[in-house]
Amino acid sequence: MKKIMLLVAGFLTLTTAAMAGNDKPIRLNELPNAAQQFVSTHFGGRQVAYTTVDTERPKTYEVAFRSGEKIEFDRRGEWKEIKSLRGTLPPHVIPEAILRQIVRNYPGTRITSIERDRHEYEVGLTNGMELTFDKEFRLIDMDR
């Protein structure tokens, strides 16, 4: 019974978080085409928990999966942030140059999140480290 109550509470928390602020629920097919393609290519086998659009400027979209991953997209449908709340990210969503450096320099760790903006990538690892790379994929900062 406790497990069922925890499951229901978790679902309600996710639903409430999805509806917070200016977030409005949408269907997956209402995402920009680039976002739909990214989801289908990299997360096609996962069940979607919810999809939202934040109507504030700049407009953003979020897709959350029942398996614990979340993706935030910009108005054009390009990913801004990908994170896993319960595990690690699939390696094929990480830029190859970043993935090679992490495999070589941090053996045994996995990537739990990646965020990008116009100037850099920030990567979270299972060992608690956060690595920042510039646009040329050079390591420029490390935080514990």
Side-chain angles (χ1 to χ4, degrees), residues 77-93:
E78 298 295 323
W79 69 265
K80 293 173 52 175
E81 182 177 10
I82 310 169
K83 59 184 167 182
S84 177
L85 304 175
R86 292 188 217 139
T88 59
L89 297 180
H92 56 275
V93 301

Side-chain angles (χ1 to χ4, degrees), residues 39-142:
V39 168
S40 120
T41 300
H42 299 291
F43 295 88
R46 292 176 173 84
Q47 285 188 311
V48 173
Y50 65 84
T51 306
T52 62
V53 59
D54 184 343
T55 57
E56 279 192 21
R57 298 287 178 223
K59 184 185 279 190
T60 59
Y61 299 88
E62 184 173 280
V63 178
F65 300 92
R66 292 180 193 253
S67 53
E69 296 91 357
K70 278 187 178 181
I71 309 169
E72 184 178 340
F73 296 98
D74 66 16
R75 64 181 173 78
R76 295 180 315 272
E78 298 295 323
W79 69 265
K80 293 173 52 175
E81 182 177 10
I82 310 169
K83 59 184 167 182
S84 177
L85 304 175
R86 292 188 217 139
T88 59
L89 297 180
H92 56 275
V93 301
I94 310 300
E96 184 65 32
I98 291 175
L99 188 60
R100 274 196 313 269
Q101 289 184 61
I102 291 172
V103 167
R104 182 179 64 240
N105 297 319
Y106 304 94
T109 62
R110 302 239 177 187
I111 299 169
T112 59
S113 65
I114 185 166
E115 184 175 355
R116 69 178 177 187
D117 62 23
R118 292 179 8 183
H119 306 289
E120 60 192 28
Y121 292 82
E122 189 172 291
V123 178
L125 303 179
T126 53
N127 66 0
M129 291 186 74
E130 287 187 0
L131 307 176
T132 304
F133 296 87
D134 66 13
K135 280 300 187 186
E136 284 76 38
F137 306 114
R138 294 180 298 227
L139 183 64
I140 58 173
D141 193 22
M142 298 169 43

Side-chain angles (χ1 to χ4, degrees), residues 13-36:
T13 301
L14 279 175
T15 304
T16 303
M19 306 306 169
N22 291 320
D23 290 352
K24 300 203 182 329
I26 61 171
R27 287 186 228 108
L28 195 60
N29 65 1
E30 295 178 80
L31 290 171
N33 288 334
Q36 289 181 49

